[in-house]
Amino acid sequence: MSKEGRHLFTSESVTEGHPDKICDQISDTILDDLINQDPNSRVACETLVTTGLVLIAGEITSKGYCEFQKVVRDRIKEIGYTSAKYGFDYETCCVVSSIHEQSLDISRGLDETEGHVQGAGDQGLMFGYACRETEELMPLPIMLAHKLVRKLDQVRKDKILTYLRPDGKSQVTVEYDRKQPVRVDAVVIAAQHDTKVQMDDLREDIKHEVIKRVIPPGMIDKKTDFYINETGRFEQGGPLADTGITGRKIIVDTYGGVGSHGGGCFSGKDPSKVDRSGSYMARYVAKNMVAAGFADKLEVQMAYAIGVPHPVSIMVDSFGTAKISEDKIKELIQAHFDLSPKGMIRTLDLLRPVYKKTACYGHFGRTEKEFTWERVDKAKALRKDAGI
């Protein structure tokens, strides 16, 4: 966002019961299961859900064995699709798998052998971003949108609002003045529900139990608009109403439309795929640079070629907020961060079963200890090296 003066910016998020997010979670749950057995598993797992059907497909090479039926059904149960009256449930859905091994042509470039350093799993470009709008160093609109759907899931699972069902969405519009967020202009919630609840009750409950518990009071004023289930009833949801596919919520997964996004999604991919590990590393780099005080907002792009162990290009954009030159920032990145696939995996400890947690509420701006790319442990050394 480089706009001057007052302007609006909007981001959205979705609940764990949204069809696309069901797919992301299934793909990442399969990945976690295999990495837990064999940390060097090569996984590229895609999922599709629709009425009564889960289809998993892709390429997997691993010493581990995944019981697809059990893993898929357990995850669907955890999400909350536990009854046939929802039109999709863990007991009666059909689970079909079409999995084969990773191509030997690809694995030759990935595997580390004598005389060959592990290269990138594919070509591609990845972006990392950080800014000072929130304590997580993330854009405010996407952080509020994530917190709303997390709260929506919580009040459903804790039976505070017993009529809610798993599917749902949020959207937050923030007003900025001279690049600083000053108020929330609009909040949109779509919440799936049972047949008995009245719309007036649902709207009042969502406003008080979800929105007002998430949005800071000082950000809401008399002009803030609330749009809650604006089309009326939302009884049919989930895979019954909408086909879901892995990787279709990449803007939800990253920065909510702020900054840029590379070409690939994250879920279902082991960390040898730079779509995932490179994006995590780029966020780690950008966040540490902002935490070090080098810029108020920063975007980093890295690009890779298949089989090549180091980036073919690195780009830095501070949007005019840099306190030191962008060339110096790039120099510091190259001096303090190992951007090879092996280096990124080692630095961020990515050969662990941590991926199911990433598949909902965004991959960035998280405070859980498993999200190693959110650490700012390089900031002190960076400042010292820069002479600040």
Side-chain angles (χ1 to χ4, degrees):
M1 267 184 298
S2 59
K3 290 180 178 291
E4 300 289 346
R6 299 186 80 91
H7 64 278
L8 303 177
F9 193 88
T10 302
S11 294
E12 70 163 349
S13 188
V14 297
T15 64
E16 63 179 359
H18 184 280
D20 294 327
K21 275 294 154 203
I22 296 172
C23 296
D24 288 343
Q25 291 168 86
I26 289 172
S27 292
D28 273 340
T29 303
I30 290 169
L31 172 61
D32 274 358
D33 184 63
L34 290 166
I35 281 186
N36 189 50
Q37 300 173 63
D38 174 12
N40 294 311
S41 295
R42 297 284 191 254
V43 180
C45 181
E46 311 291 344
T47 304
L48 177 147
V49 296
T50 186
T51 306
L53 174 66
V54 178
L55 172 63
I56 51 177
E59 299 78 46
I60 293 176
T61 301
S62 175
K63 295 177 182 177
Y65 173 75
C66 181
E67 296 183 43
F68 294 120
Q69 292 284 333
K70 176 174 172 43
V71 167
V72 170
R73 294 183 191 281
D74 284 353
R75 187 59 209 151
I76 294 170
K77 182 180 181 181
E78 289 169 11
I79 291 169
Y81 286 100
T82 55
S83 173
K85 66 184 179 183
Y86 297 168
F88 183 82
D89 72 283
Y90 78 101
E91 290 182 301
T92 65
C93 67
C94 176
V95 179
V96 178
S97 63
S98 178
I99 300 290
H100 54 279
E101 290 191 341
Q102 183 185 65
S103 163
L104 289 175
D105 294 336
I106 294 175
S107 63
R108 287 190 193 100
L110 287 178
D111 296 333
E112 185 155 312
T113 59
E114 186 176 349
H116 179 76
V117 179
Q118 179 180 350
D122 199 353
Q123 69 178 51
L125 52 141
M126 300 87 218
F127 289 92
Y129 181 86
C131 65
R132 294 195 175 279
E133 289 182 24
T134 64
E135 63 181 18
E136 300 91 351
L137 301 185
M138 285 283 288
L140 181 61
I142 189 63
M143 290 306 298
L144 292 178
H146 285 325
K147 289 176 181 179
L148 285 170
V149 291
R150 187 189 281 270
K151 191 67 173 178
L152 200 58
D153 281 331
Q154 181 192 335
V155 297
R156 170 177 61 88
K157 289 188 168 185
D158 290 349
K159 301 189 185 306
I160 295 170
L161 301 182
T162 57
Y163 53 77
L164 289 180
R165 289 180 177 173
D167 200 355
K169 290 183 177 183
S170 70
Q171 186 171 284
V172 179
T173 300
V174 173
E175 184 173 352
Y176 288 76
D177 185 12
R178 292 186 293 275
K179 302 181 182 179
Q180 296 301 314
V182 293
R183 60 181 290 274
V184 170
D185 186 71
V187 179
V188 180
I189 297 284
Q192 187 189 13
H193 57 83
D194 67 20
T195 59
K196 298 177 182 177
V197 66
Q198 298 297 312
M199 275 299 98
D200 288 344
D201 293 335
L202 179 145
R203 287 173 178 144
E204 194 68 17
D205 288 346
I206 295 292
K207 191 171 182 179
H208 288 281
E209 296 294 339
V210 177
I211 296 173
K212 290 193 173 181
R213 294 183 184 273
V214 168
I215 308 294
M219 296 295 286
I220 295 177
D221 58 29
K222 293 180 180 179
K223 294 183 178 180
T224 301
D225 292 317
F226 301 99
Y227 303 95
I228 303 170
N229 285 35
E230 278 299 301
T231 61
R233 304 195 70 79
F234 181 12
E235 295 175 19
Q236 283 197 359
L240 174 66
D242 185 17
T243 297
I245 301 174
T246 298
R248 208 157 54 176
K249 287 291 178 283
I250 57 175
I251 302 304
V252 169
D253 287 342
T254 53
Y255 306 103
V258 176
S260 306
H261 193 286
C265 72
F266 306 151
S267 290
K269 296 176 180 177
D270 74 85
S272 73
K273 280 76 171 172
V274 286
D275 278 339
R276 184 164 222 159
S277 55
S279 295
Y280 289 176
M281 192 67 171
R283 163 65 176 170
Y284 180 57
V285 170
K287 187 173 183 181
N288 274 273
M289 292 293 169
V290 171
F294 298 157
D296 292 332
K297 61 176 68 174
L298 193 76
E299 183 172 85
V300 177
Q301 185 203 55
M302 307 185 309
Y304 290 84
I306 188 167
V308 179
H310 297 288
V312 298
S313 73
I314 300 172
M315 181 278 296
V316 171
D317 186 354
S318 67
F319 307 95
T321 69
K323 309 301 189 290
I324 61 176
S325 74
E326 291 180 356
D327 286 341
K328 180 62 177 178
I329 293 174
K330 182 176 175 180
E331 186 180 305
L332 289 165
I333 291 171
Q334 293 172 312
H336 287 262
F337 298 90
D338 185 346
L339 303 180
S340 68
K342 183 178 180 180
M344 296 188 295
I345 290 168
R346 181 181 60 248
T347 300
L348 302 178
D349 193 15
L350 295 179
L351 297 180
R352 300 168 296 135
V354 298
Y355 297 104
K356 181 174 73 174
K357 279 192 174 183
T358 69
C360 281
Y361 319 125
H363 294 244
F364 307 128
R366 303 288 288 271
T367 58
E368 300 94 321
K369 62 181 176 61
E370 296 94 337
F371 290 69
T372 51
W373 48 93
E374 292 298 315
R375 299 177 309 202
V376 290
D377 53 344
K378 294 275 192 180
K380 185 176 180 180
L382 286 164
R383 281 194 297 269
K384 182 179 180 180
D385 195 3
I388 296 177

